[in-house]
Amino acid sequence: MMLPKIRCWNQSRSIPSHSFFLLCKGDNAGKPGLKPWPNSFIITCSNKQYHDFFYWLSYALHQTGKFKTRHRGSAIPFINLNDVRDLFRELAPEIQPHWTRLAELIIHLDNLSKMKTSLEEQLKASEKLQIALLQKFCNNRK
């Protein structure tokens, strides 16, 4: 297995193909994203297959709190390059043979996330409706 190149993101550089970003500061340190953030690492893979694998591996590591155990700093938590490299070196060979199962799991997690978003929107809409009904009731009493 070929590990990706990981380096600090600099806005003056162009974004190579098959790259993604990993937030390195704050409570969400370790969170992957496809667009650059300030205070992030850029992870560049050799091909699309490795890109997908390492992106979703990073997502899984972030969601399960594996990066949280590596947070440093008392005021603003952060992770460093070696933390990311070490986690990839440790876990990628173990998870890669089970990549198809992880990919299926990611699809289910994505569907759950969409359902969660839909439910949150429904809750917000019902709260607005409740407020509107109460306001209408109170305004009719005057």
Side-chain angles (χ1 to χ4, degrees), residues 23-30 68 71 76-78:
L23 192 60
C24 64
K25 279 189 176 178
D27 290 331
N28 283 323
K68 287 258 189 213
H71 282 189
I76 300 174
F78 67 94

Side-chain angles (χ1 to χ4, degrees), residues 62-96:
H62 177 259
Q63 291 297 318
T64 57
K66 295 290 185 185
F67 286 111
K68 287 258 189 213
T69 61
R70 309 271 177 136
H71 282 189
R72 294 179 170 86
S74 57
I76 300 174
F78 67 94
I79 56 174
N80 63 29
L81 285 169
N82 288 331
D83 295 331
V84 178
R85 288 181 181 134
D86 291 345
L87 274 173
F88 282 174
R89 220 177 272 125
E90 289 172 25
L91 297 174
E94 294 176 22
I95 294 176
Q96 207 252 346

Side-chain angles (χ1 to χ4, degrees), residues 1-59:
M1 164 168 283
M2 189 170 170
L3 293 174
K5 292 180 186 176
I6 306 169
R7 63 180 191 269
C8 293
W9 168 242
N10 183 343
Q11 292 182 351
S12 64
R13 294 182 185 165
S14 62
I15 300 171
S17 61
H18 310 301
S19 296
F20 65 95
F21 300 88
L22 199 70
L23 192 60
C24 64
K25 279 189 176 178
D27 290 331
N28 283 323
K31 180 180 179 180
L34 298 174
K35 296 181 182 177
W37 289 300
N39 301 316
S40 64
F41 300 131
I42 183 168
I43 300 175
T44 306
C45 302
S46 58
N47 58 43
K48 176 80 170 126
Q49 180 183 7
Y50 279 139
H51 173 272
D52 292 344
F53 173 73
F54 281 104
Y55 178 84
W56 290 112
L57 175 62
S58 300
Y59 179 82

Side-chain angles (χ1 to χ4, degrees), residues 109-120:
L109 290 173
D110 188 43
N111 289 338
L112 285 172
S113 177
K114 288 176 183 173
M115 288 172 51
K116 181 179 172 184
T117 302
S118 174
L119 288 172
E120 288 171 353

